[in-house]
Amino acid sequence: METTEGKNDLRAKLAEKIQTFRSQRKATEKVDRALLLQRRKEKAKARAEAKKLAKKESKAKQESKVAAYDTGNSSDNIADEENDNHKSTITYGTLIVGDDKFSNGKLKVAGKKRGPTDVFGALKHLEAKKRRIESMDEEKRRKIEESDKWHRVLLQAEGKKLKDNEQLLKKSIRRKEKEKKKSSDAWKERKDNEKKAMLMRQQRREENLKKRRESKKSKKGKAPKKKKPSKKK
Amino acid sequence: MGGIGKKRVKKRTHLKADPIQEAAIPKSMVIRSGASEVGRSLSLLTRDLRHMMEPHTAIRLKERKANKIKDYLTMAGPLGVTHLLVLSRTDNNANLRIIRAPRGPSLHFRIHEYMLNKDVRRLQKNPKSPTTEFLTPPLLVMNHFNQNSSKDSPHEALLTTTFQNMFPPISVQHTNINSVKRVLLLNRRDDGYIDLRHFIISTKPVGISRPIRHLLKGEKKDSDIPDLHNVRDISDYVLHGDGISGAASDSEIEEDATVEIDRPVPTKTEENLLSASQLLKPKQQAIKLIEIGPRMTLELIKITEDAMGGKVLYHSHVHKSKEEIKQQDNFHEQSRALKEKRKKEQDENVRRKRENKKRRKDQKKEGITSSNKNDDSGNEGSSAYSDTE
């Protein structure tokens, strides 16, 4: 068949072209696939190492920053010199350093808020987390739940608003949807009213024009009044 | 003219607070559970605690016996109250509960010992009566409090966080040192008890004789003008004024209690009395803490998840096994489900009753209209009630 011949022709042309390109860049005839893969792996490894190193450096920088703000004093500064093993760790209330907060011995750098900010996103996030936890084994699940519980309580104590109650989130979503529906209905009604008003205006205009035309016609039908010639005295 | 008929707004003294900043300030209420039932001394402690928590607290709060903690929690939201300090008494001891409004957690403390302001004042030789110290919040200083939440003791981190968030944050750049006039000290003892102390910070300039210090005060009172009628020369006054040697005694100022602060813009009297080199030097101030009370010794008993009741996250005396915790969780889950079920039933009953009421009303209306029709047709004898008795 012609089609198969055409295909073969194309293949031959392609092979020829590839060959010319290879000769142009002076490539070795045989490509060692294993060597290529090995090189690729090595590159990936090097990249991972570099990433790790960068992470370490940033951590060290953060620690040094915390150390700069650190307010812990050793016990020989305070009066308690006899009790050497019991170091005196003095903590203050929450300190604000620029945009950052220093509390609980940690410098909390002000940055972008992580995680979902809207209700829909929060619910999705919560459901995904639930699924992830359910897939784990009993021991791990308990550990995660325990740490999660304390983390949640700590955030609550700090005054952060938590969006972790599924029922409440669903409720607020329902409320939002209701509001949306209400507003969309109102908008639809407004649009319909506008349309109706426009149609009515057009109709009125048409009627007025029609009336005017008819009145003109009727005027034309009647003979025009002849003016009486003015008498000259 | 600047707007006839408009109310004049005082711009310097009546500055409007920034609402964002205002929202960041924690506000508190100190409450006696069961109002006056707690007794006189605990009522006085409540008053002292309110003074301690000033200025962001309800200082003239009136409790009634009928008021439940739930009522206060309900009102906390609209009033912007973030913490409730609830004092209560059992047969054996007094208790303090710190509740984070509106959703918790709540920390339960046992008050082992307490001393009122008046008792602290009675102990002192020269008690200081506070003046403007309560216009600004106290500086919170905590000693031996665990800072990072380790897996073994997350309750300690929560304890620290709770105390830190009861007071407004201090901006390192913008807070004026002179505005810090009080210190609230919380010291964690080896036995786990927490000592609470409340001080006023008083400062004195160092390295200046007492007569000069008296002059540097620069207050315009007659009593502040030095009495020189017994003095032949001004040097007598400067060196031995008021019959006391000019230098401060060794016991008066401890060495480690002196701090150097940048000298602000000098006053006229300072410019006249101090040399140029002295004006350039940083000011040395001696800091003295004067206790004003109250004193308390607290023991953390338990932490619960919610503002009222809820799961017990930590208990200092009761330690449960994993199995018991599991049982407790199941029990909580069951009780929650039962509560939900009852709520549903209740809602259903309310709805049904409402419908019945409506139906009855409609029937009544129909009855009235039909009776009217009957009256029109001439059946005047028919009545809704028959005399069969």
Side-chain angles (χ1 to χ4, degrees):
Chain A
M1 281 177 97
E2 266 188 17
T3 51
T4 51
E5 275 176 29
K7 267 185 187 175
N8 288 339
D9 269 353
L10 279 169
R11 272 204 189 114
K13 270 183 186 173
L14 185 65
E16 211 174 290
K17 214 152 208 183
I18 287 167
Q19 199 58 42
T20 54
F21 282 134
R22 283 176 74 80
S23 61
Q24 270 175 17
R25 74 163 199 271
K26 291 166 187 156
T28 50
E29 276 306 303
K30 208 166 193 182
V31 179
D32 194 354
R33 196 111 181 96
L35 193 71
L36 263 174
L37 285 169
Q38 199 183 329
R39 271 187 200 153
R40 211 173 280 168
K41 265 183 189 170
E42 276 170 10
K43 261 187 188 174
K45 212 176 190 180
R47 211 176 291 134
E49 284 288 320
K51 226 178 197 177
K52 240 183 203 173
L53 207 71
K55 218 176 196 179
K56 250 185 194 171
E57 273 176 19
S58 70
K59 207 174 187 182
K61 216 178 248 180
Q62 177 78 352
E63 274 169 11
S64 67
K65 206 174 179 185
V66 169
Y69 294 123
D70 201 8
T71 49
N73 295 335
S74 59
S75 56
D76 40 59
N77 286 22
I78 322 285
D80 194 21
E81 269 152 5
E82 305 137 37
N83 203 355
D84 256 5
N85 59 348
H86 202 89
K87 280 275 174 85
S88 176
T89 51
I90 289 179
T91 323
Y92 296 100
T94 311
L95 302 175
I96 295 173
V97 187
D99 294 332
D100 310 337
K101 262 190 182 182
F102 184 77
S103 72
N104 245 4
K106 289 190 201 86
L107 185 74
K108 291 166 187 173
V109 181
K112 275 188 182 177
K113 273 190 181 177
R114 285 173 68 206
T117 50
D118 63 323
V119 190
F120 295 94
L123 188 65
K124 230 177 231 176
H125 178 77
L126 202 69
E127 281 168 352
K129 194 177 183 182
K130 226 179 188 179
R131 278 199 297 274
R132 196 169 65 247
I133 288 169
E134 275 168 10
S135 65
M136 291 168 183
D137 58 0
E138 189 71 29
E139 192 63 37
K140 208 172 185 184
R141 193 189 306 168
R142 179 155 293 149
K143 262 185 191 171
I144 284 171
E145 277 172 1
E146 184 69 22
S147 66
D148 224 36
K149 187 165 64 180
W150 278 107
H151 179 65
R152 195 168 62 241
V153 166
L154 263 167
L155 288 177
Q156 251 171 276
E158 279 175 29
K160 299 234 173 34
K161 281 195 173 79
L162 300 178
K163 291 176 180 174
D164 60 349
N165 192 331
E166 212 171 331
Q167 265 89 17
L168 285 177
L169 285 171
K170 278 177 180 171
K171 218 179 199 178
S172 55
I173 282 172
R174 273 201 296 273
R175 199 189 307 121
K176 274 196 172 178
E177 277 173 354
K178 232 182 200 175
E179 279 171 20
K180 248 187 197 173
K181 194 175 180 293
K182 206 177 180 183
S183 68
S184 69
D185 286 351
W187 181 249
K188 207 176 178 185
E189 202 180 318
R190 185 173 176 270
K191 271 178 109 175
D192 289 347
N193 288 344
E194 284 286 318
K195 219 175 190 179
K196 274 179 191 171
M198 205 172 168
L199 281 167
M200 277 175 78
R201 279 201 298 274
Q202 280 176 351
Q203 222 173 320
R204 212 178 297 142
R205 190 164 172 271
E206 287 291 324
E207 280 171 12
N208 289 343
L209 286 169
K210 208 176 185 182
K211 272 180 189 174
R212 210 179 293 163
R213 260 187 247 121
E214 279 173 5
S215 66
K216 268 187 182 177
K217 267 182 190 174
S218 62
K219 271 181 187 175
K220 270 183 187 176
K222 286 176 186 175
K225 285 180 182 177
K226 284 180 182 177
K227 282 183 182 178
K228 287 178 183 178
S230 57
K231 285 180 183 178
K232 283 182 184 177
K233 284 182 181 177
Chain B
M1 280 175 80
I4 299 165
K6 275 188 184 175
K7 191 178 182 292
R8 177 174 162 254
V9 180
K10 295 177 179 177
K11 286 192 172 65
R12 184 169 52 83
T13 52
H14 291 59
L15 289 170
K16 272 190 179 167
D18 180 17
I20 298 161
Q21 257 184 326
E22 199 71 17
I25 294 169
K27 293 180 180 68
S28 59
M29 276 185 186
V30 185
I31 307 156
R32 297 169 296 168
S33 182
S36 56
E37 282 178 6
V38 293
R40 179 163 166 70
S41 57
L42 217 59
S43 295
L44 289 171
L45 180 65
T46 307
R47 191 189 65 190
D48 294 347
L49 275 175
R50 280 179 190 164
H51 274 298
M52 186 184 82
M53 297 300 289
E54 268 193 80
H56 307 295
T57 191
I59 196 76
R60 283 190 289 273
L61 180 70
K62 295 272 189 290
E63 309 106 316
R64 289 200 188 98
K65 272 184 194 174
N67 288 351
K68 300 279 182 286
I69 292 166
K70 205 172 185 181
D71 304 333
Y72 293 108
L73 282 169
T74 309
M75 283 312 297
L79 294 173
V81 173
T82 56
H83 291 83
L84 295 179
L85 282 80
V86 185
L87 285 152
S88 58
R89 184 188 287 290
T90 59
D91 296 335
N92 303 326
N93 41 38
N95 299 310
L96 170 70
R97 218 183 320 168
I98 298 174
I99 302 169
R100 173 83 206 201
R103 281 178 65 189
S106 55
L107 286 77
H108 299 245
F109 296 93
R110 182 173 293 157
I111 304 172
H112 282 278
E113 296 163 336
Y114 65 91
M115 195 184 272
L116 304 171
N117 288 7
K118 60 175 186 178
D119 301 324
V120 171
R121 229 173 286 135
R122 216 168 275 159
L123 282 174
Q124 290 166 347
K125 202 186 277 181
N126 305 316
K128 189 182 187 304
S129 54
T131 50
T132 57
E133 281 85 3
F134 292 109
L135 296 176
T136 51
L139 170 70
L140 179 70
V141 180
M142 296 185 286
N143 193 25
H144 296 150
F145 274 78
N146 194 359
Q147 293 183 342
N148 31 11
S149 53
S150 61
K151 281 177 184 173
D152 312 325
S153 53
H155 63 276
E156 289 190 10
L158 179 63
L159 187 65
T160 312
T161 305
T162 303
F163 279 123
Q164 278 179 334
N165 284 282
M166 275 166 69
F167 301 97
I170 297 161
S171 173
V172 175
Q173 284 104 321
H174 305 112
T175 304
N176 183 9
I177 294 170
N178 296 334
S179 71
V180 181
K181 292 179 178 175
R182 290 184 293 142
V183 171
L184 179 66
L185 177 67
L186 294 166
N187 179 48
R188 192 99 179 270
R189 299 197 319 219
D190 293 335
D191 54 8
Y193 287 10
I194 298 162
D195 288 324
L196 183 142
R197 299 276 186 279
H198 185 214
F199 303 95
I200 280 178
I201 302 170
S202 90
T203 55
K204 279 181 187 173
V206 176
I208 300 168
S209 64
R210 197 171 284 181
I212 295 289
R213 199 189 300 153
H214 204 69
L215 283 172
L216 279 175
K217 253 194 203 170
E219 288 173 25
K220 308 282 186 291
K221 289 181 197 163
D222 290 344
S223 60
D224 286 336
I225 296 165
D227 181 14
L228 303 173
H229 82 280
N230 285 336
V231 180
R232 291 161 76 189
D233 191 44
I234 191 69
S235 61
D236 289 348
Y237 172 73
V238 171
L239 297 172
H240 312 287
D242 300 344
I244 305 159
S245 73
S249 64
D250 292 336
S251 63
E252 199 178 323
I253 296 158
E254 294 166 30
E255 254 181 56
D256 62 347
T258 60
V259 289
E260 282 189 357
I261 57 164
D262 292 331
R263 193 181 289 280
V265 180
T267 58
K268 281 265 169 73
T269 40
E270 278 184 330
E271 272 180 1
N272 294 336
L273 287 164
L274 301 174
S275 64
S277 61
Q278 273 179 314
L279 284 170
L280 286 170
K281 273 183 197 169
K283 224 182 196 177
Q284 275 209 322
Q285 296 269 51
I287 288 176
K288 197 177 177 188
L289 296 180
I290 301 160
E291 193 173 354
I292 51 169
R295 276 188 196 182
M296 281 198 285
T297 304
L298 306 168
E299 181 198 0
L300 178 66
I301 299 295
K302 65 173 177 177
I303 298 168
T304 55
E305 202 171 11
D306 298 331
M308 298 200 40
K311 254 186 229 176
V312 176
L313 296 173
Y314 164 81
H315 204 294
S316 61
H317 303 323
V318 182
H319 301 288
K320 290 188 175 179
S321 64
K322 281 182 183 176
E323 200 56 48
E324 284 175 316
I325 290 166
K326 204 175 181 182
Q327 279 178 353
Q328 189 190 15
D329 288 350
N330 289 338
F331 170 73
H332 274 290
E333 193 57 44
Q334 280 171 1
S335 62
R336 195 185 58 76
L338 189 67
K339 199 177 180 183
E340 240 170 57
K341 190 185 168 191
R342 280 178 183 159
K343 200 168 188 287
K344 264 185 187 172
E345 279 177 18
Q346 180 74 359
D347 290 343
E348 188 61 41
N349 289 343
V350 168
R351 198 174 57 79
R352 200 178 63 245
K353 279 178 184 173
R354 222 173 261 156
E355 278 177 7
N356 287 346
K357 207 176 185 182
K358 202 179 178 186
R359 206 181 296 128
R360 244 179 266 132
K361 240 183 190 175
D362 292 344
Q363 281 174 357
K364 221 176 189 180
K365 268 185 187 173
E366 280 170 24
I368 289 163
T369 50
S370 64
S371 67
N372 285 350
K373 278 177 188 173
N374 290 344
D375 289 348
D376 293 343
S377 61
N379 298 347
E380 285 173 19
S382 65
S383 167
Y385 303 101
S386 57
D387 299 331
T388 51
E389 289 168 34

